[in-house]
């Protein structure tokens, strides 16, 4: 391969990787029933204590994490640093673009982000979880 062909192939591959990191979704959010300012999902849809739902007016999904037996927490999966989509981990959230880390309640653990993830109250109503969009929770 000639030098020019190598450089062209390398730049296309690295650009594709960067785009995937900043905008490529690794999860497919579930749809939720919207009732007023609440999103309602079946609790049985949680897998390993996590569920991703589509936010009706945001580009980024909401992650619901089970904190313990009967407590749940919801965060918008948009990094507060440069607006990349975060990825859920066992400890919370990681931004693939610049390495910011958040705990399960969306609090910044490691920069470059300095602002917590937007969080929402989750009400456990038996077989369903209600995410209250009009009541952001402060961490």
């Amino acid at each position: 391969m000639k030098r020019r062909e190598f450089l062209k192939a390398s730049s296309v591959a690295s650009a594709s990787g960067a785009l995937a990191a900043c905008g490529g979704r690794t999860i497919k959010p579930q749809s939720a029933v919207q009732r007023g300012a609440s999103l309602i999902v079946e609790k049985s849809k949680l897998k390993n204590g996590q569920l991703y739902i589509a936010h009706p007016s945001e580009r980024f999904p909401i992650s619901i994490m089970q904190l313990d037996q009967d407590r749940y927490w919801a965060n918008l999966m948009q990094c507060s640093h440069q607006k990349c989509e975060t990825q859920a981990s066992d400890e919370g959230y990681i931004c693939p673009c610049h390495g910011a880390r958040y705990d399960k309640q969306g609090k910044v653990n490691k920069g470059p982000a300095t602002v917590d993830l937007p969080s929402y109250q989750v009400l456990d109503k038996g077989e369903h979880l209600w995410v209250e969009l009009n009541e952001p929770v402060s961490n």
Side-chain angles (χ1 to χ4, degrees):
M1 178 181 286
K2 292 183 181 178
R3 182 174 187 269
R4 181 173 292 205
E5 292 170 350
F6 172 77
L7 291 174
K8 184 177 178 182
S10 297
S11 62
V12 168
S14 65
S16 298
L19 288 173
C22 288
R25 181 158 295 153
T26 58
I27 56 170
K28 182 172 181 186
Q30 301 279 324
S31 59
V33 174
Q34 186 168 5
R35 189 169 299 157
S38 300
L39 296 177
I40 305 166
V41 294
E42 293 176 26
K43 204 186 304 183
S44 62
K45 290 187 177 184
L46 267 80
K47 303 287 187 237
N48 298 321
Q50 296 180 358
L51 174 67
Y52 309 101
I53 57 175
H55 190 297
S57 62
E58 295 281 345
R59 178 180 140 215
F60 298 94
I62 292 173
S63 168
I64 300 173
M65 287 198 178
Q66 186 170 8
L67 301 179
D68 56 38
Q69 181 72 20
D70 51 0
R71 283 191 326 133
Y72 300 86
W73 198 267
N75 293 296
L76 185 66
M77 296 181 70
Q78 180 182 19
C79 181
S80 61
H81 175 238
Q82 288 192 344
K83 312 302 182 213
C84 292
E85 185 172 321
T86 60
Q87 296 176 349
S89 72
D90 290 337
E91 294 81 34
Y93 304 90
I94 301 169
C95 179
C97 296
H98 301 105
R101 293 180 183 270
Y102 304 85
D103 68 13
K104 287 184 177 184
Q105 293 179 306
K107 292 181 184 178
V108 175
N109 281 341
K110 177 183 175 274
T114 58
V115 177
D116 298 338
L117 296 176
S119 299
Y120 305 98
Q121 181 179 7
V122 179
L123 303 175
D124 183 351
K125 296 195 176 188
E127 295 180 10
H128 294 89
L129 297 173
W130 289 50
V131 178
E132 302 296 316
L133 298 179
N134 63 349
E135 297 179 32
V137 177
S138 62
N139 296 331

